[in-house]
Amino acid sequence: MTTASTQDAGTDAGSEMGVEDRVYVAISQALLSGKLRPGMPLRERNLAEAFGCTRGAVRKVLARLGFEGKLVLEPNRGAFVPQPSLDDIRQVYRARRVMEAGVVATLCGHLTPEQVAVLESHVADEARAHADQAVEASIRLAGAFHLKLIGMTGSGDLTDFAERLVAKTELFKALYDPAEYIHCAPTEHAQIVAVLQTRRVQAAIDLVTSHLDELEARVIARAAEAETPDFRAIFAASFRV
């Protein structure tokens, strides 16, 4: 028989877990919509006050986001929005190119009609998100497309690894890639689905590689701008006649 105190404890635990989920979703959405900028600190106390929850709940969420690579956790300093170097960005995209080239080579000409239907439906969802100018949803769906492809290899280990890489590149796009470029993804993904239905393996590899090359180039260009201070603006007053 369940006692009243046990029921209360279970209710409190369930309520706290619900709070953690809501905080996780809210911070993730803020990251993907670009509302949180590179290097911004996320203080437990401030977040707990903003969400009306305990610092313990916030701490668990920050730890989860840190494990996923969406936040940087520094001992004795706290959690920060990542501020990746150009080399960090290049390494992640390099890993994705190597991995996804192998994925499309494996899948090319071997997708079932059901798998094709799943991918085409997903691309349609991406197109709708773009039409609605839903930036956060567009970024999330773009990453999910690649995860669906990787999942179709049937390798759980590969999917786990891919989720970490895709999460990082989603964040890179949110931090640095201008929203007006997101519309390229549905079209490019539709092209990938089309070529995977053939046996043109090299064409599939070339397509997914160039797709990732283009995404990386956009992010790198914006990240490089962010790294380069505008000295003319900073010191303009010193040279004003």
Side-chain angles (χ1 to χ4, degrees):
M1 181 175 180
T2 304
T3 64
S5 59
T6 303
Q7 289 176 334
D8 291 342
T11 300
D12 290 343
S15 176
E16 186 70 2
M17 182 57 66
V19 168
E20 289 173 22
D21 290 340
R22 291 195 295 273
V23 173
Y24 173 84
V25 170
I27 296 177
S28 296
Q29 289 178 341
L31 284 166
L32 290 183
S33 63
K35 293 178 181 178
L36 302 178
R37 305 311 303 153
M40 180 182 292
L42 299 180
R43 307 299 184 199
E44 286 182 10
R45 178 179 299 175
N46 295 342
L47 290 171
E49 291 176 354
F51 290 114
C53 66
T54 66
R55 291 180 64 175
V58 170
R59 190 175 303 119
K60 291 179 183 178
V61 172
L62 296 181
R64 177 180 173 185
L65 291 167
F67 175 78
E68 294 174 353
K70 295 176 182 177
L71 293 178
V72 174
L73 305 182
E74 297 186 7
N76 303 318
R77 294 195 65 221
F80 297 83
V81 176
Q83 195 167 18
S85 68
L86 299 183
D87 189 56
D88 292 335
I89 295 171
R90 291 189 180 102
Q91 286 189 26
V92 173
Y93 276 102
R94 185 179 303 123
R96 280 196 60 180
R97 277 193 294 272
V98 171
M99 175 182 62
E100 296 192 41
V103 168
V104 296
T106 299
L107 297 177
C108 194
H110 298 288
L111 290 176
T112 67
E114 292 77 16
Q115 289 173 323
V116 172
V118 167
L119 293 173
E120 289 179 339
S121 176
H122 186 89
V123 171
D125 289 340
E126 289 187 70
R128 281 191 291 272
H130 165 65
D132 293 339
Q133 298 183 339
V135 176
E136 182 267 333
S138 293
I139 293 174
R140 176 176 50 78
L141 287 168
F145 171 83
H146 291 266
L147 291 177
K148 283 184 183 293
L149 274 182
I150 294 163
M152 289 176 181
T153 65
S155 171
D157 289 338
L158 187 61
T159 298
D160 290 343
F161 178 60
E163 286 175 349
R164 297 289 302 278
L165 291 180
V166 170
K168 287 185 177 182
T169 52
E170 282 181 348
L171 185 57
F172 296 160
K173 281 178 63 61
L175 293 174
Y176 298 116
D177 192 21
E180 60 265 24
Y181 287 128
I182 291 175
H183 75 278
C184 297
T187 303
E188 293 167 4
H189 289 170
Q191 293 171 348
I192 292 172
V193 175
V195 77
L196 285 176
Q197 296 176 67
T198 73
R199 292 188 177 274
R200 298 163 55 209
V201 174
Q202 190 57 53
I205 292 173
D206 291 344
L207 190 56
V208 77
T209 299
S210 63
H211 174 58
L212 292 171
D213 284 345
E214 186 177 358
L215 294 178
E216 178 187 6
R218 297 173 193 158
V219 172
I220 287 290
R222 291 296 297 270
E225 290 175 4
E227 282 192 353
T228 306
D230 186 349
F231 288 118
R232 180 170 300 188
I234 293 172
F235 298 114
S238 300
F239 296 98
R240 191 173 298 150
V241 179

